[in-house]
RNA sequence: GUGGCUGUAGCUCAGUUGGUUAGAGCAUCAGAUUGUGGUUCUGAGGGUCGUGGGUUCGAAACCCAUCAGCCACCCCA
């Protein structure tokens, strides 16, 4: 019998970790609700064609496909063989796998909006906190199953939405105690305008991918990459000038204006940035690009500053997301929090409150059958007062019972032995200070505060 | 999908050019100690050396395959 193992890139979460993760989830959800977002959940799986082609060529490869049932049916063997041939040729075949695990929350949301848009009240603001799956090779901070926390507003072009989403970032990080972070902002239209200056709008993806790596590989390597993509020396110089723009938000804006020569495409982007950076906590970063190619307007990225970790959140505006599903003209903007990375940041900076790990507040010692019967009925009354209690499961040595309390970080123990039963009292001990006192059982039951 | 490193007790790790019965610390359990824990002392249990095959008189060590983890690339959260 070999030991069972977990599928690659998946994890079990021990109780302590679940509490910490829930603390993050609940904080984020609370803020989302505060801004009027409503919860939505979609199934773990979608029809394969709903997902295929939405994440680019690379993305398609990373979609987890689900094998159809009944492929071994002898009557359908010929068809199954043909379908499988298709797969070997690199084509999709619904006959073998018609469903897939969801890859992110945005496309299923778009599918939901496209199918329900007639019933929805716009602007529709929803948040969604669910696991997603990617058939990627696991690595530091990258898993095959992980949670995304998204909030999107669809059916509104107002920049007020961007302003609100930026404030959601601030509120969430504030609530979690993450003080030293940077909320970076850029605009896809500015990148488009840059691409137009350098060989055409269709070059935008190449430029975006290359400059996104700037802080990772440095300017020289970015230039190398660009020349591999057949940008001319002149074009690379323009991009270099673009990347070297520095200073305050206002300085950056004035420099970008002269660089882009007031070209029409970038103008809207600059205006929108100007509107948003009235909030000085936002930092314009023209090197911010973000991979997902459905973004068309403002893009965001949040980074923790005193921890060596990538982004802890990102998002942006997209025109016409549901157009992919035959419902045009529903624009939207959304943001996402990277829970696993936020977890790592908080762990490293020691930001989780210690109180998270107090589950049971009181442990009743077990001193024998008669004693434990008394303890049990008192314990039930405390439980009904919403105090979390346990009675040790058997009559064991004090040593053992103490150690159980310590390990479970239970702050108080209560001893009720024959002496206490006779006197109708109980002994309460604070495990960390060692203080103890004896009070009447009545008082404990009716009003004692731990 | 491509490349590199690693895998020994519950955990962290030793283990000599391949050589008797594979070790330590922490943890666990028992006792000193069944009405007061954290300290100390004594003792015990715990291993198919990731898995499968191969080389060898002999493999934890060498070779191949496989699985898993870590790291980098591609891409991304």
């Amino acid at each position: 019998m070999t030991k069972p193992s977990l599928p690659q890139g998946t994890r079990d979460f021990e109780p302590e970790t679940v509490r910490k993760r829930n603390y993050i989830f609940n904080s984020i959800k609370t803020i989302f609700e505060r801004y009027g977002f409503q919860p939505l959940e979609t199934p773990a799986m979608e029809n394969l064609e709903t997902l295929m082609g939405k994440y680019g060529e690379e993305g398609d490869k990373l979609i987890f496909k689900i094998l159809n049932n009944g492929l071994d049916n002898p009557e359908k063997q010929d068809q199954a063989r043909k379908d499988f041939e298709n797969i070997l040729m690199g084509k999709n075949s619904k006959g073998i796998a018609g469903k897939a695990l969801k890859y992110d929350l945005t496309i299923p949301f778009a599918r939901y909006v496209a199918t329900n848009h007639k019933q929805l009240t716009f602007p529709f603001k929803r948040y969604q906190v669910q696991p997603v799956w990617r058939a990627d090779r696991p690595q530091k901070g990258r898993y095959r199953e992980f949670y995304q926390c998204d909030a999107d507003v669809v059916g509104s072009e107002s920049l007020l939405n961007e302003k609100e989403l930026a404030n959601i970032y601030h509120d969430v990080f504030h609530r979690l105690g993450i003080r030293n972070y940077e909320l970076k902002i850029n605009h896809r239209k500015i990148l488009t305008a840059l691409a137009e200056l350098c060989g055409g709008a269709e070059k935008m993806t190449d430029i975006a991918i290359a400059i996104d790596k700037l802080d990772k590989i440095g300017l020289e390597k970015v230039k190398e990459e660009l020349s591999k993509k057949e940008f001319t020396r002149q074009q690379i110089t323009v991009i270099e000038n673009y990347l070297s723009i520095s200073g305050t938000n206002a300085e950056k804006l004035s420099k970008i204006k002269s660089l882009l020569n007031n070209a029409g495409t970038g103008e809207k982007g600059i205006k929108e940035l100007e509107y948003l950076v009235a909030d000085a906590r936002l930092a314009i970063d023209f090197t911010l690009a973000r991979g997902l190619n459905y973004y068309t307007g403002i893009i965001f990225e949040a980074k923790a500053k005193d921890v060596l970790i990538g982004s802890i959140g990102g998002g942006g505006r997209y025109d016409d997301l549901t157009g992919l599903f035959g419902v045009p003209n529903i624009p939207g903007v959304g943001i996402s929090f990277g829970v696993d990375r936020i977890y790592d940041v908080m762990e490293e900076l020691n930001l989780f409150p210690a109180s998270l790990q107090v589950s049971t507040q009181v442990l009743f010692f077990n001193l024998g059958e008669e004693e434990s019967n008394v303890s049990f009925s008192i314990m039930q009354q405390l439980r009904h007062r919403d105090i979390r209690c346990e009675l040790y499961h058997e009559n064991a040595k004090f040593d053992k019972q103490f150690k159980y309390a310590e390990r479970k970080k239970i702050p108080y123990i209560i001893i009720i032995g024959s002496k206490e039963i006779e006197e109708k009292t109980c002994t309460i001990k604070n495990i960390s200070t060692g203080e103890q006192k004896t009070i009447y059982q009545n008082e404990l039951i009716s009003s004692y505060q731990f």
Side-chain angles (χ1 to χ4, degrees):
Chain A
M1 184 73 184
T2 51
K3 275 189 208 163
S5 62
L6 288 174
Q8 190 179 40
T10 64
R11 301 162 287 172
D12 287 324
F13 297 111
E14 53 177 9
E16 199 174 314
T17 311
V18 174
R19 286 188 196 286
K20 290 176 177 173
R21 287 168 63 86
N22 282 346
Y23 173 70
I24 297 174
F25 288 138
N26 292 336
S27 301
I28 294 172
K29 287 179 187 173
T30 303
I31 302 295
F32 285 163
E33 292 272 354
R34 191 180 286 174
Y35 282 75
F37 286 75
Q38 293 182 287
L40 177 76
E41 293 191 12
T42 64
M45 64 186 96
E46 294 279 347
N47 289 327
L48 187 56
E49 65 260 30
T50 303
L51 305 182
M52 289 299 285
K54 309 301 192 298
Y55 309 103
E57 217 175 298
E58 286 296 318
D60 282 356
K61 287 187 203 157
L62 301 181
I63 293 171
F64 259 110
K65 296 168 189 80
I66 299 172
L67 194 64
N68 290 351
N69 289 64
L71 290 172
D72 57 347
N73 182 345
E75 287 171 32
K76 295 181 183 165
Q77 256 189 25
D78 286 347
Q79 188 58 44
R81 268 179 231 281
K82 270 186 215 159
D83 288 334
F84 196 74
E85 282 301 316
N86 276 332
I87 292 204
L88 291 179
M89 311 274 282
K91 294 181 200 159
N92 286 311
S93 182
K94 277 208 288 182
I96 299 290
K99 300 171 291 296
L101 293 173
K102 64 174 176 259
Y103 178 91
D104 71 356
L105 302 179
T106 309
I107 295 297
F109 174 54
R111 191 265 309 144
Y112 173 83
V113 173
T115 50
N116 296 287
H117 68 281
K118 288 191 176 145
Q119 290 97 285
L120 295 175
T121 317
F122 290 103
F124 181 57
K125 300 162 82 171
R126 75 86 231 230
Y127 70 89
Q128 195 169 350
V129 177
Q130 286 192 277
V132 301
W133 293 268
R134 294 189 188 174
D136 204 358
R137 187 174 284 207
Q139 220 190 97
K140 190 176 187 67
R142 273 169 89 170
Y143 303 94
R144 289 185 147 186
E145 179 185 60
F146 61 97
Y147 272 74
Q148 289 192 330
C149 306
D150 283 20
D152 289 79
V153 188
V154 293
S156 162
E157 287 189 308
S158 169
L159 267 188
L160 203 52
N161 296 310
E162 275 86 339
K163 189 173 173 178
E164 288 217 298
L165 292 171
N167 277 279
I168 287 180
Y169 273 124
H170 294 308
D171 287 3
V172 166
F173 293 143
H174 181 84
R175 191 183 175 95
L176 292 176
I178 300 172
R179 293 295 140 82
N180 204 5
Y181 64 91
E182 195 172 30
L183 189 53
K184 299 195 290 189
I185 184 174
N186 195 8
H187 202 292
R188 273 293 174 108
K189 292 238 157 43
I190 289 175
L191 288 166
T192 311
L194 176 69
E196 281 170 0
L197 280 179
C198 304
E202 72 280 0
K203 290 280 202 178
M204 185 177 67
T205 308
D206 285 338
I207 295 179
I209 288 174
I211 68 175
D212 210 30
K213 296 179 190 164
L214 181 69
D215 53 346
K216 212 169 172 184
I217 62 176
L219 182 62
E220 287 313 307
K221 295 262 178 191
V222 170
K223 283 160 74 178
E224 249 173 62
E225 198 138 319
L226 287 169
S227 57
K228 269 186 215 152
K229 293 279 181 186
E230 293 176 358
F231 285 89
T232 67
R233 197 181 294 175
Q234 247 180 342
Q235 291 168 339
I236 293 177
T237 307
V238 175
I239 294 171
E240 192 178 350
N241 288 337
Y242 171 86
L243 292 177
S244 66
I245 290 175
S246 62
T248 63
N249 284 339
E251 285 162 358
K252 284 177 179 168
L253 283 168
S254 93
K255 285 177 193 167
I256 195 75
K257 277 179 198 163
S258 64
L259 184 91
L260 294 182
N261 247 337
N262 292 322
T265 318
E267 214 169 326
K268 191 178 175 200
I270 292 169
K271 272 208 182 116
E272 295 192 359
L273 283 180
E274 268 170 348
Y275 172 83
L276 286 169
V277 297
D279 180 346
R281 295 172 300 180
L282 294 174
I284 291 178
D285 180 352
F286 289 128
T287 72
L288 177 63
R290 298 214 42 94
L292 290 172
N293 37 25
Y294 48 69
Y295 289 133
T296 51
I298 290 284
I299 46 182
F300 293 110
E301 186 162 296
K303 257 190 149 164
K305 272 161 72 176
D306 26 34
V307 180
L308 271 178
I309 227 163
S311 75
I312 53 177
R317 173 168 286 279
Y318 38 84
D319 299 331
D320 200 25
L321 189 68
T322 55
L324 295 162
F325 299 113
V327 181
N329 304 323
I330 302 184
V333 56
I335 56 170
S336 182
F337 288 89
V339 178
D340 289 292
R341 286 182 178 178
I342 290 174
Y343 182 97
D344 290 344
V345 168
M346 293 184 61
E347 195 69 91
E348 197 165 331
L349 300 178
N350 226 327
L351 296 177
F352 289 109
S355 59
L356 280 185
Q357 296 312 330
V358 178
S359 48
T360 303
Q361 296 164 277
V362 182
L363 177 70
F364 284 82
F365 270 26
N366 188 327
L367 281 79
E369 194 176 333
E370 197 190 328
E371 292 90 335
S372 67
N373 280 334
V374 174
S375 292
F376 193 91
S377 76
I378 292 174
M379 173 174 73
Q380 283 307 88
Q381 296 178 72
L382 286 190
R383 282 174 170 169
H384 293 145
R385 271 182 56 207
D386 215 14
I387 292 165
R388 301 183 298 273
C389 316
E390 286 182 68
L391 170 62
Y392 195 78
H393 61 281
E394 61 191 6
N395 177 14
K397 294 201 298 187
F398 268 43
D399 178 74
K400 265 191 135 174
Q401 306 200 38
F402 268 119
K403 280 186 173 152
Y404 179 80
E406 259 172 62
R407 263 219 304 269
K408 278 194 82 171
K409 298 183 174 145
I410 300 172
Y412 294 96
I413 59 132
I414 292 182
I415 297 168
I416 299 174
S418 49
K419 194 177 78 191
E420 284 86 354
I421 290 177
E422 202 156 309
E423 297 169 350
K424 296 198 185 325
T425 59
C426 62
T427 300
I428 304 174
K429 179 163 182 166
N430 178 323
I431 272 240
S432 52
T433 64
E435 268 173 71
Q436 75 177 48
K437 57 184 154 187
T438 300
I439 64 166
Y440 283 108
Q441 292 169 10
N442 283 345
E443 188 193 342
L444 171 69
I445 293 165
S446 62
S447 60
Y448 189 81
Q449 296 298 320
F450 289 94

